[in-house]
Amino acid sequence: MANTYKILGQLSPAATTETVLYTVPSATSTVCSSIIICNRGTAAVNFRVSLSPAGAATANKDYIYYDVMIAGNDTFVATIGVTLATTDVVRVYSGNSSLSFQLFGTEIS
C-alpha cells in the first residue's frame, strides 16, 4: 500500500452553492487530517462541510459543520481525522464568495 500525503482539495466556491471539494479516487481510501477555511472578506460569513458516502446526495446526517460563522479576515482551522472510502465526497458551502477551503490528508492505495 502506498501513502500519498497531499493537499486533497482547494476551492473558493460560488456564494450559496454546495460544491464538491474532494472525491476519493477509485481503489483508494483517504484520511482527511485537517480542513482550513479562510475568510478573505471583511464581513462575517457562514460555512458548511459535509461528508457523503459513495457519492450520495448530501443528507442532514452528513454535515460535520453547519452554518458555522467565521469572522471577517479570520481563519477556521480544524483537525478532523476522518476516514473516507472510495467515491466518498467532501462538499462545502459558503454564505458568500469570500471563503477559501483547503483539505489536507493522505490517500492510501
Side-chain angles (χ1 to χ4, degrees), residues 5-95:
Y5 304 96
K6 63 190 286 186
I7 298 171
L8 300 171
Q10 292 180 307
L11 184 65
S12 180
T16 66
T17 304
E18 184 180 62
T19 308
V20 173
L21 175 61
Y22 176 73
T23 302
V24 180
S26 62
T28 304
S29 296
T30 299
V31 178
C32 299
S33 59
S34 57
I35 189 164
I36 299 173
I37 299 110
C38 175
N39 185 352
R40 303 178 322 276
T42 57
V45 63
N46 64 310
F47 71 87
R48 301 173 188 171
V49 178
S50 64
L51 309 172
S52 299
T58 303
N60 287 338
K61 65 180 177 56
D62 297 337
Y63 287 100
I64 59 172
Y65 298 105
Y66 191 87
D67 284 348
V68 175
M69 293 301 291
I70 183 170
N73 298 315
D74 202 2
T75 301
F76 175 91
V77 179
T79 302
I80 54 176
V82 298
T83 56
L84 302 174
T86 297
T87 70
D88 288 353
V89 176
V90 178
R91 293 184 181 96
V92 296
Y93 169 97
S94 173

